[in-house]
Amino acid sequence: MKQYLNEKGIHYKLSYMTLKKGQFSVHSCRTIHCSPQNISNKNRIALVMHFQDESNRYQPAFNQNGEKITIGYDKLCRTDKFGNPDYQDPNLFPLI
């Protein structure tokens, strides 16, 4: 990822955060994050929650080549009356 960002001339700040058992992080969807390889004999368990406000709606986005960008949620949730991903689908995006 660092090589890709450098090649594209994208400025970034590299930070390390070590979490202890039971701790969690909250960050923007614009944060690139990862974990090093798990070299222990124990499984790594993660829980991910994405929060969105009530007004969040699908907005088409395109890459530099004009190709439509699709994220995983777009393929999993129901579609609205226009055939777009419905980010209000309670099966995938429950109200909490």
Side-chain angles (χ1 to χ4, degrees), residues 31-96:
T31 302
I32 300 171
H33 54 91
C34 64
S35 298
Q37 180 181 2
N38 182 6
I39 57 173
S40 76
N41 61 355
K42 297 179 181 178
N43 290 330
R44 182 180 287 157
I45 299 172
L47 171 67
V48 178
M49 297 176 75
H50 295 248
F51 293 95
Q52 62 180 354
D53 66 18
E54 185 177 317
S55 64
N56 187 41
R57 297 290 184 269
Y58 171 78
Q59 298 291 319
F62 302 88
N63 67 19
Q64 293 174 341
N65 297 326
E67 301 163 328
K68 194 174 196 180
I69 298 171
T70 303
I71 62 172
Y73 296 137
D74 295 349
K75 298 175 184 177
L76 297 173
C77 64
R78 70 184 180 198
T79 56
D80 64 16
K81 64 182 178 179
F82 303 108
N84 296 318
D86 182 1
Y87 293 162
Q88 304 299 312
D89 180 349
N91 292 315
L92 194 61
F93 307 106
L95 183 62
I96 57 171

Side-chain angles (χ1 to χ4, degrees), residues 9-25:
I10 299 171
H11 176 73
Y12 63 92
K13 179 182 176 185
L14 183 61
S15 301
Y16 294 93
M17 176 175 47
T18 303
L19 298 177
K20 296 178 181 176
K21 184 178 181 179
Q23 290 183 319
F24 64 94
S25 70

